[in-house]
Amino acid sequence: MKILLATSEAAPYIKTGGLGDVAAALPKALAESPNTEVAVFLPYYKAIKDNPEFELEYITNFTVPLSWRSVYAGLFRAVSKKKKLQYYFIDNEYYFYRDGCYGHYDDGERFAFYSKAILEALQYLDWYPDVIHANDWQTALVPVFLRAFYMGAEKYQPIKTLFTIHNMEYQGRFPDDFVDGCLGLPEDWKGTMHFDNGCNLMKAVILTADRVSTVSRTYAFEIQNPYFAHGLHDVLRQHSYKLSGVVNGIDVEVFDPANDPLIYANFSAGDMEGKVKNKRFLQERLGLAVRDDVPMIIMITRLVGHKGVDLVQAVMDDLMWDDLQLVIIGTGEWQYEEMFRSCAGRFPAKMSANIVFDNTLAHQAYAGADLVLMPSKQEPCGLTQLIGMRYGTIPIVRETGGLFDTVPAYNIETGEGNGFTFKSYNAHDMLDAVRRAEALFQDKEHWAKLQRGVMAYDSSWKRSVQEYWDIYRSLVD
C-alpha cells in the first residue's frame, strides 16, 4: 500500500508541538510494514532550508493554479537510503522563507498553495498513493482539492482520504471571499466551504474526506459536544459514522531512559538508581534544594489557559505551602510567564520557572521528576503523560480526552492504574489530586510498584499503527 502523509510539521525537520512528533513517528512505524511505501510532504520552511544538517536534493519545479494565480513550486526530497520512507518538500520562498511556521497574515493562502502543490507534485513523481492522510486545517484542503479538481484524471480517481483532527480549536476560519479569491473552487462547492458567516476549512474536509479520525477515543466522543467542538458539533454528529479515535504513540527509541543520551544517568525499571541521580542533577542544575524526600512535580507545556495553567495559578500559594518542588518548562501567554517567574523568585528552593522550550532540559526533567502535572481543560491526546510514564514519572491529569484514555486512576488496593486523576475543571479538585500523589510518594513500597507499572505501559506506536492500518484497509478494500 502507498500512503502519503500531508502535514505542516514533522520532526526532525520542523516541530512546534505534538503534531511534529506524531508526523515523525507514525510514518516511520508504517514503513516497517511489508509492501508499504510512505511519503511525507512538508513545506520547505526557512528553518529547514537554512539548516546545514539536512541534505536535500532538487527534483523539479512546476506551477500551481490557485484561483487567478499560477504560482511557482519547487519539489525537493531528503537524501535517504530508506526507499520505503521518503520526505518531500514544497518550495516557495515567498510563502515559506519566513521566521516561524504559523501566525502570518496570509496563512490561509500559504497552506492552500501547499495543499494543492502536493496534489500537483504526484504527476511529476509519477507516484500515486492509495491513501492521503491529511492532518489539521493546514492540509484540510488536500481532500477538498482532490475531489473538486482532480477526479477527472484517471490516476487520481482511486485515491482515498483520511483527515486527522489533532485539535478542534484550530479550524482554518476565513472570510467567504477566500473561496473565490484564493481557492478558486467551483460555485457548487461554496455550500461545503461556508460555515458561521465565513469559510471553515475543517468543516469542509469533514464533509469531503472518506474517513475522519482524531487522536483519542474519548476526544472522538467529546468533539461531538458543543463544549469541545468550537461550533462543529452538529457537523461531526452528522458524520460520526466515519469518525474514529486513535490514541497517539511516542517514539520509544527517542524516549528511552535506558539509552537516552540527553539525561544525566541512564536507568530502567529494574534498576532505578539512575532516576535518583537524575533528580539530584536536575535539582542542582535548577538551583533547587537537593532533597530525595520531597516530590518533584514538572509541567512541560504551553503556558495557555486551556492547558490548565489557570488552575495552577489559582492554588499556587497552597502548592508552595506543601513540601514539594515545582518545575515549569514552556512558553506562552505573558500573564502566566510572569506569574511563574514571580513565584520562582519568591520560592527559589521550591520552584524553578524555565520560560523556554529546551529539549535537553525537558528530557532531564522527565528523567529526574517524580510527577508530571497535566490539568488540561481539554487534551485531544497528550504526549507528555506518555513520555513521563516511560521515565517512571507519574502523571497527575484531568479526566479528559487522551488523558482519560491513557491514565486510569491508580487503585492502591488492586495496584491497577497509571496515575492520579480529577474530573471537574476545578483548582481545588486538582490540588486534591496533587496531595493524594504527595501522600503516596511517602509510601515507598507502593510508589515503587506504581513506577514499575507505568514504565511497563506500552506507549509505542504498535497498537496505534494497527488501528490506522484498519482504517486504511477499510478505505482501499
Side-chain angles (χ1 to χ4, degrees):
M1 187 181 295
K2 297 177 181 179
I3 301 164
L4 188 159
L5 192 81
T7 179
S8 59
E9 57 182 84
Y13 297 101
I14 193 78
K15 172 187 166 183
T16 69
L19 174 59
D21 289 317
V22 173
L26 176 58
K28 179 181 175 183
L30 290 171
E32 293 176 358
S33 300
N35 303 315
T36 302
E37 296 177 28
V38 183
V40 181
F41 274 76
L42 285 162
Y44 198 3
Y45 295 113
K46 177 183 178 182
I48 302 173
K49 186 169 284 192
D50 290 350
N51 192 330
E53 295 181 9
F54 302 136
E55 186 180 357
L56 273 60
E57 59 183 351
Y58 169 79
I59 299 176
T60 188
N61 68 81
F62 49 90
T63 58
V64 176
L66 198 64
S67 188
W68 52 268
R69 311 160 184 79
S70 290
V71 187
Y72 162 85
L75 182 61
F76 290 76
R77 176 171 53 203
V79 176
S80 173
K81 295 180 181 179
K82 299 178 181 178
K83 293 184 178 180
K84 294 183 64 179
L85 175 58
Q86 298 288 336
Y87 286 83
Y88 294 96
F89 300 83
I90 300 296
D91 179 44
N92 181 297
E93 292 199 346
Y94 173 74
Y95 289 133
F96 299 126
Y97 197 73
R98 310 180 185 183
D99 294 327
C101 300
Y102 317 122
H104 299 280
Y105 74 97
D106 58 347
D107 275 359
E109 182 179 331
R110 295 169 70 225
F111 289 104
F113 158 77
Y114 169 59
S115 297
K116 203 165 190 185
I118 291 172
L119 295 168
E120 286 288 318
L122 301 182
Q123 57 191 303
Y124 295 94
L125 293 171
D126 195 25
W127 187 86
Y128 298 89
D130 298 295
V131 177
I132 294 178
H133 185 166
N135 295 268
D136 273 350
W137 78 262
Q138 290 88 352
T139 58
L141 285 167
V142 176
V144 173
F145 284 149
L146 176 66
R147 298 299 170 218
F149 293 120
Y150 293 88
M151 286 295 95
E154 181 179 354
K155 291 187 177 181
Y156 285 86
Q157 291 174 3
I159 297 174
K160 301 297 183 181
T161 55
L162 167 67
F163 177 70
T164 295
I165 301 166
H166 294 266
N167 194 327
M168 278 298 301
E169 188 172 354
Y170 307 106
Q171 298 180 0
R173 296 173 180 264
F174 302 98
D176 263 334
D177 59 9
F178 182 72
V179 177
D180 286 328
C182 184
L183 307 184
L185 286 165
E187 185 70 22
D188 57 359
W189 275 83
K190 288 187 176 179
T192 302
M193 306 302 299
H194 180 80
F195 184 80
D196 193 22
N197 299 316
C199 165
N200 187 308
L201 304 190
M202 191 172 286
K203 179 251 186 176
V205 73
I206 291 169
L207 269 60
T208 306
D210 295 299
R211 289 287 297 270
V212 178
S213 72
T214 189
V215 289
S216 69
R217 290 179 293 278
T218 297
Y219 196 59
F221 288 104
E222 287 178 340
I223 59 177
Q224 297 177 58
N225 180 296
Y227 181 79
F228 294 93
H230 298 276
L232 289 180
H233 50 283
D234 286 335
V235 176
L236 285 158
R237 286 174 185 169
Q238 292 163 11
H239 293 81
S240 61
Y241 66 92
K242 60 180 178 181
L243 176 63
S244 305
V246 181
V247 175
N248 287 332
I250 60 173
D251 191 327
V252 293
E253 293 179 3
V254 172
F255 300 105
D256 179 6
N259 298 291
D260 190 340
L262 300 179
I263 65 177
Y264 177 72
N266 294 117
F267 63 96
S268 66
D271 181 8
M272 296 292 285
E273 182 60 31
K275 187 164 181 67
V276 177
K277 294 178 181 178
N278 281 299
K279 182 175 180 178
R280 294 171 184 166
F281 169 81
L282 188 63
Q283 288 169 330
E284 290 177 357
R285 174 176 174 176
L286 300 180
L288 301 171
V290 179
R291 296 177 56 188
D292 296 337
D293 64 327
V294 61
M296 178 189 285
I297 303 174
I298 57 171
M299 287 187 71
I300 302 175
T301 183
R302 285 182 292 125
L303 303 180
V304 294
H306 74 263
K307 290 294 186 180
V309 185
D310 53 341
L311 300 187
V312 180
Q313 183 179 34
V315 294
M316 181 58 77
D317 288 342
D318 299 86
L319 289 170
M320 291 296 99
W321 181 263
D322 290 0
D323 194 16
L324 56 75
Q325 293 176 340
L326 180 62
V327 175
I328 307 296
I329 303 173
T331 61
E333 296 176 12
W334 179 85
Q335 60 171 323
Y336 297 125
E337 293 182 351
E338 288 303 301
M339 180 268 293
F340 284 127
R341 285 194 184 102
S342 173
C343 190
R346 290 164 52 208
F347 302 97
K350 300 185 70 171
M351 180 168 172
S352 174
N354 305 273
I355 311 303
V356 65
F357 179 77
D358 184 327
N359 186 54
T360 299
L361 178 59
H363 276 248
Q364 292 170 352
Y366 286 125
D370 302 296
L371 295 151
V372 55
L373 178 60
M374 297 183 70
S376 304
K377 182 179 291 184
Q378 49 187 287
E379 193 68 57
C381 178
L383 300 178
T384 301
Q385 81 280 12
L386 299 177
I387 299 169
M389 289 192 288
R390 184 86 171 133
Y391 289 80
T393 301
I394 311 303
I396 305 170
V397 305
R398 193 172 90 81
E399 296 176 7
T400 184
L403 302 180
F404 181 74
D405 289 347
T406 58
V407 187
Y410 179 66
N411 185 320
I412 194 170
E413 295 180 359
T414 65
E416 298 176 338
N418 291 338
F420 301 89
T421 72
F422 64 102
K423 193 171 186 67
S424 299
Y425 193 72
N426 179 285
H428 285 88
D429 285 357
M430 181 199 73
L431 182 62
D432 176 70
V434 171
R435 287 177 170 167
R436 281 185 276 121
E438 292 177 49
L440 190 73
F441 176 79
Q442 303 304 331
D443 184 339
K444 297 306 178 187
E445 180 181 349
H446 282 99
W447 187 260
K449 183 178 179 181
L450 177 55
Q451 281 186 313
R452 290 192 297 271
V454 300
M455 292 181 77
Y457 180 82
D458 184 6
S459 54
S460 73
W461 275 95
K462 183 177 180 180
R463 180 170 50 192
S464 303
V465 164
Q466 185 56 54
E467 292 184 43
Y468 276 118
W469 273 120
D470 292 341
I471 296 174
Y472 298 152
R473 291 190 183 106
S474 74
L475 291 170
V476 174
D477 293 344

